[in-house]
Amino acid sequence: MKLDDLLGEYYELEQQLADPAVHADQSQARTLSKRYSQLTPVIAAYRELMQVESDLETARELSSEDSAFADEARQLEKSREELTERLHHLLIPRDPADEKNIIMEVKAGEGGEESALFAGDLVRMYLRYAERQGWKTEVLNSTASELGGYKDITIAFKNKGTPEPGEGVWPQLKFEGGVHRVQRVPVTESQGRIHTSAAGVLVVPEVEEVEVEIHDNDLRIDVFRSSGPGGQSVNTTDSAVRITHLPSGLVVACQNEKSQLQNKEQAMRILRSRLYAEAQASADAEAEAERKSQVRTVDRSERVRTYNFPENRISDHRVGYKAYNLDQVLDGSLDGVLRALIDADTKERLEQAES
């Protein structure tokens, strides 16, 4: 969309939101407010750029009389370049899920206890990164392994307030999905040999009930007894819930909570998000086929990353990122590898927007 069109939309939204009648419909008011907040950074950058352009013109006119204005003009030229670049990036078509929270699932792969321990390492890495970002996290379901890892675990990551464009949970973590491979000497290895195992990560945006329509007739709900460590209800009552979405074949099970109702609510949160993600993936695939463009640089379905402990090396195979700070990455310092992925995606979006 052109900048002039966005300006017109922004001013129209201002008028609508100033009308008390609009706020009588809370759903409409929320929709308008959300779009207004999305456009605000764009308009703010544009207004700042226009002010700098005006100041620059004045400084250039006065530079012949006073050399101090020549210095100011050079600074303003630099500011103009920076603002132009920022505005260019803000105008890149945004992912519609940018402001959403996420649900992340981490599952141990083949490799037994070592794979489960690696899954636990990944979980701690993401939780520490979330803590640094000020995000809230909530474990929705988990199955622990005997040595303290995870056979599988599902976690909700929640934004802190309304994030700036590109700064929320989904933009930062959406490329983490895929197969993560580890190379190290397992704690269960007595001969000191390096083994390779893997864990799978699934990342989907969390959606509201109104965003995904699920009919009761499309669900098969089974209850069973929870297993593993837990409270008094574990292994004594049928509190665990397994939901099968018949049209898609998706199956979600939850057992962490003490009641069937709570486990059902958690399972439905996960199911809604999975169905939304599948629908988005299908729509993206159709749009990609119509454009006949290349496969995206950042593919969330492939083997994505290798964690090599002997060399303290982390490698992301999608964008050729490599660094020798694995210990810091596992402690939550994910900025480098995440920035490489985001930059690759931004570059591609820019190329598509300009084509």
Side-chain angles (χ1 to χ4, degrees):
M1 185 178 288
K2 294 181 180 179
L3 185 55
D4 288 344
D5 295 332
L6 292 178
L7 284 166
E9 182 184 359
Y10 184 79
Y11 294 136
E12 184 178 346
L13 285 169
E14 274 191 328
Q15 293 177 349
Q16 289 179 299
L17 290 170
D19 183 357
V22 169
H23 295 274
D25 184 341
Q26 293 187 357
S27 177
Q28 183 189 15
R30 280 195 301 269
T31 300
L32 295 176
S33 296
K34 180 178 178 181
R35 180 56 178 165
Y36 184 79
S37 65
Q38 289 174 347
L39 291 178
T40 296
V42 179
I43 305 306
Y46 169 75
R47 287 172 173 169
E48 190 174 354
L49 178 59
M50 292 300 99
Q51 183 62 55
V52 167
E53 290 274 14
S54 176
D55 293 344
L56 177 58
E57 184 178 352
T58 302
R60 282 173 174 170
E61 291 175 355
L62 297 174
S63 61
S64 59
E65 302 174 10
D66 188 339
S67 60
F69 286 106
D71 294 334
E72 183 179 348
R74 283 190 288 272
Q75 291 296 322
L76 288 169
E77 286 172 356
K78 183 179 179 182
S79 297
R80 182 181 63 176
E81 291 176 3
E82 293 173 351
L83 282 167
T84 300
E85 182 69 15
R86 180 164 180 257
L87 184 59
H88 196 179
H89 280 267
L90 287 171
L91 289 172
I92 298 172
R94 293 180 61 187
D95 185 327
D98 259 10
E99 295 179 352
K100 293 186 181 297
N101 299 321
I102 69 165
I103 290 178
M104 174 185 287
E105 298 180 54
V106 181
K107 294 180 179 292
E110 296 181 2
E113 194 63 47
E114 163 61 7
S115 179
L117 288 170
F118 176 52
D121 290 337
L122 291 178
V123 169
R124 283 185 288 275
M125 176 182 75
Y126 291 125
L127 290 177
R128 285 170 180 168
Y129 179 72
E131 184 178 0
R132 294 183 181 199
Q133 302 302 310
W135 299 336
K136 295 180 180 179
T137 58
E138 177 188 4
V139 175
L140 303 182
N141 191 57
S142 66
T143 304
S145 68
E146 293 181 2
L147 296 182
Y150 289 105
K151 296 178 181 178
D152 61 76
I153 182 170
T154 304
I155 308 170
F157 290 76
K158 302 178 181 180
N159 285 305
K160 180 182 179 181
T162 301
E164 290 292 318
E167 298 297 324
V169 174
W170 174 252
Q172 297 294 314
L173 295 181
K174 65 181 177 181
F175 299 122
E176 289 304 288
V179 178
H180 294 240
R181 184 177 65 171
V182 62
Q183 296 171 327
R184 66 182 176 188
V185 178
V187 295
T188 55
E189 169 59 54
S190 59
Q191 303 298 319
R193 293 172 297 185
I194 296 174
H195 286 227
T196 298
S197 59
V201 178
L202 174 67
V203 182
V204 295
E206 183 168 8
V207 296
E208 303 294 333
E209 287 187 45
V210 295
E211 295 179 83
V212 176
E213 186 176 13
I214 300 177
H215 299 287
D216 291 341
N217 293 337
D218 290 338
L219 301 178
R220 185 176 72 238
I221 301 177
D222 302 305
V223 297
F224 56 98
R225 291 191 176 183
S226 303
S227 59
Q232 295 179 350
S233 61
V234 172
N235 292 319
T236 60
T237 62
D238 292 335
S239 59
V241 174
R242 181 187 300 109
I243 300 178
T244 303
H245 185 251
L246 300 175
S248 67
L250 286 175
V251 180
V252 177
C254 279
Q255 64 173 15
N256 275 33
E257 305 298 336
K258 293 183 178 181
S259 74
Q260 279 187 24
L261 180 60
Q262 289 173 314
N263 282 319
K264 181 183 176 183
E265 289 175 350
Q266 301 289 48
M268 288 299 294
R269 285 176 65 183
I270 299 169
L271 178 61
R272 278 194 297 271
S273 296
R274 283 193 186 177
L275 288 172
Y276 177 89
E278 284 201 351
Q280 287 295 111
S282 177
D284 290 345
E286 290 179 9
E288 197 76 8
E290 289 176 4
R291 288 193 302 266
K292 296 182 180 179
S293 59
Q294 296 181 357
V295 176
R296 294 189 67 80
T297 303
V298 183
D299 184 346
R300 295 194 285 272
S301 65
E302 61 182 10
R303 186 185 70 187
V304 295
R305 196 174 295 151
T306 295
Y307 303 72
N308 185 298
F309 275 68
E311 298 180 14
N312 197 36
R313 169 171 52 84
I314 180 168
S315 305
D316 196 286
H317 309 297
R318 297 163 292 182
V319 293
Y321 177 88
K322 185 181 295 184
Y324 293 86
N325 63 337
L326 178 57
D327 53 339
Q328 296 175 34
V329 170
L330 289 174
D331 194 43
S333 297
L334 278 164
D335 300 280
V337 63
L338 294 183
R339 177 47 53 190
L341 294 163
I342 293 168
D343 287 348
D345 181 63
T346 300
K347 180 180 177 182
E348 185 168 345
R349 288 179 181 273
L350 274 170
E351 290 172 352
Q352 289 181 356
E354 293 171 354
S355 62

